[in-house]
Amino acid sequence: MSKIYLDHASSMPMDARVFEFAKPYLMASHGNPSSLHSVGLQAKQAVEESRSKISEFIHAENESTIIFTGGATEANNLAVKGAALRNITAGKAVVASVIEHMSVLNPMKELQKNGFSVTFIPVDSTGIVDLKKLEGALTKNTVLTTVMYANNEIGTIEPIREISKIVHEKGLYLHVDAVAAAGRIPIDVQKDGIDLLTLSSNDLYGPQGAGALYIKPGVKIQSVLLGGGQERGLRSGTENVFGIVGMGEAAHIAQKEMNRESSRLLPIRDRLITEILKIDQSYLTGHPLQRLPHHASFRFSYIEGESILLNMDMYDIQVSTGSACSSKTLEPSHVLLAIGLKHEEAHGSMVLTIGRSTTMDDVEPVSKASNETVQRLRKMSPMSQEWRK
Ligand code: PMP
């Protein structure tokens, strides 16, 4: 059986068209965009063309709203710390949903150590942010609110327009981490009412090591990385030209193909969900309807996610058990705990994120392997033996 890669939320393979497009910037066009000679200008022009493509992709006001970074983690740090510190005279309070990615939560916790008040907004059992609690948490001291467009572990899409209305009625800034959602569902920063938006190249089938932060004109923000003043002084350091050019082309392709591709993936995802839920004591995590079209996430009682992942890998099927970014800890995912699962329930999770290489033919072997994996692990599980008594 050939490999079935179902971990697109952790890393997407670079699209061959993206690689062909950006390849010259690995060797032949090696200029530094800050150099004034022709080789430098060529690189600068390529970076600016990519900026236009990203701006079009999210329907931004213009291309100067886009700041390239070394990835989504860096863009999230810039948004959270940069906006909080720049607006410190207006207040020292920040607000985030409890299911944000660690690259939002950890900068928030650092702000907390430095005297900011931080409020984490709970979510319901499907992962939707509690809008009443959000509204109640916003005060005149709040300098930044951050809620992700969609969650990478449970696939739930947040009601961003409603959230934006609540935040803007109080005259505050909204940051949105759109890493999981971009390229899967349409994003329009102006219609959605977003002030800061994080994107990742690799989550668009672009090269790893590039990301971007959209900054609405007029939003006050400062740099968190000091140096030569590249990217309007907001992200110093020589640009990763290959990564940036690849990211622009990846966004351009995603924009053209997203509707068709998402419609192709939806029935495959739904079949996967139907088949896998036939397994005894299996449950869908996240919202049943308001979820990303490529995302199917489950939990199985009495077994444990790392073993599921390794067992599935023996069938040459790559899955995830929550976020790859925090898989270094054995703690259960903060997202699964936030939707109300007990520790032992949160441990038994499996996340399938399908992509351009996935076809309907994959459903049968994946469901079969999932069933065999769960049965095999349950036979060995002390928790399950306890249950059978
Ligand atoms: N936000 C979300 C929602 C993510 O899933 C990820 C990881 N893919 C990140 C931020 C951070 O991305 P990176 O590790 O590429 O910086």
Side-chain angles (χ1 to χ4, degrees), residues 84-98:
L85 297 176
R86 172 68 178 76
N87 296 287
I88 201 162
T89 50
K92 283 184 83 177
V94 286
V95 173
S97 94
V98 72

Side-chain angles (χ1 to χ4, degrees), residues 14 19 21-31 207 240-243 245:
M14 196 188 319
F19 180 64
F21 187 87
K23 200 167 61 176
Y25 298 93
L26 277 177
M27 289 181 78
S29 302
H30 51 77
N240 168 7
V241 179
F242 169 75
V245 170

Side-chain angles (χ1 to χ4, degrees), residues 9 71-73 76 101 103 148 152 177 179-180 200 203 325:
T73 295
N76 278 341
H101 188 262
S103 55
M148 64 208 317
N152 49 307
D177 175 348
V179 168
S200 159
D203 289 70
C325 325

Side-chain angles (χ1 to χ4, degrees), residues 96-346:
S97 94
V98 72
I99 58 167
E100 294 304 301
H101 188 262
M102 285 302 168
S103 55
V104 166
L105 293 180
N106 284 338
M108 290 255 165
K109 287 177 189 162
E110 191 182 270
L111 289 173
Q112 197 169 30
K113 278 191 211 142
N114 288 295
F116 275 77
S117 111
V118 181
T119 310
F120 294 113
I121 308 298
V123 295
D124 68 14
S125 61
T126 66
I128 301 275
V129 169
D130 185 328
L131 299 184
K132 283 251 155 5
K133 291 240 164 69
L134 173 69
E135 191 168 6
L138 303 176
T139 71
K140 60 177 179 7
N141 290 326
T142 309
V143 284
L144 185 72
T145 303
T146 163
V147 178
M148 64 208 317
Y149 216 110
N151 184 274
N152 49 307
E153 288 183 51
I154 55 174
T156 300
I157 302 171
E158 298 297 339
I160 287 298
R161 290 191 184 184
E162 284 174 64
I163 290 169
S164 158
K165 210 163 147 248
I166 293 169
V167 172
H168 286 165
E169 262 162 19
K170 307 222 174 182
L172 308 171
Y173 289 157
L174 175 66
H175 166 245
V176 175
D177 175 348
V179 168
R184 313 298 71 83
I185 53 174
I187 292 175
D188 184 320
V189 285
Q190 296 188 73
K191 289 196 183 133
D192 292 342
I194 293 169
D195 301 297
L196 297 152
L197 181 108
T198 294
L199 293 170
S200 159
S201 164
N202 183 233
D203 289 70
L204 297 168
Y205 297 93
Q208 294 178 339
L213 184 68
Y214 156 80
I215 306 173
K216 192 180 182 65
V219 167
K220 291 183 186 148
I221 187 163
Q222 72 183 47
S223 174
V224 292
L225 202 60
L226 304 178
Q230 288 90 341
E231 295 295 296
R232 293 203 282 128
L234 287 170
R235 198 281 183 181
S236 286
T238 301
E239 296 85 344
N240 168 7
V241 179
F242 169 75
I244 290 172
V245 170
M247 180 176 181
E249 186 60 10
H252 181 62
I253 294 172
Q255 189 167 20
K256 277 195 301 185
E257 299 181 354
M258 181 166 52
N259 285 348
R260 195 161 23 106
E261 178 63 359
S262 290
S263 312
R264 188 185 74 82
L265 292 180
L266 250 169
I268 303 177
R269 183 206 69 180
D270 287 345
R271 267 287 299 286
L272 266 174
I273 292 179
T274 308
E275 290 305 314
I276 290 179
L277 287 182
K278 287 181 183 163
I279 300 172
D280 190 29
Q281 305 240 24
S282 62
Y283 308 89
L284 187 74
T285 58
H287 200 286
L289 302 171
Q290 289 297 110
R291 66 182 302 131
L292 295 169
H294 73 312
H295 199 291
S297 52
F298 308 89
R299 75 170 183 85
F300 306 102
S301 302
Y302 314 117
I303 54 174
E304 181 271 323
E306 274 72 25
S307 320
I308 301 175
L309 184 153
L310 296 174
N311 257 269
M312 292 293 280
D313 206 26
M314 293 197 297
Y315 292 90
D316 221 353
I317 300 172
Q318 287 75 37
V319 304
S320 155
T321 177
S323 170
C325 325
S326 49
S327 57
K328 284 179 201 67
T329 81
L330 283 176
E331 282 299 299
S333 141
H334 68 286
V335 176
L336 298 180
L337 295 180
I339 59 172
L341 299 187
K342 299 195 194 97
H343 273 237
E344 62 274 20
E345 293 171 336

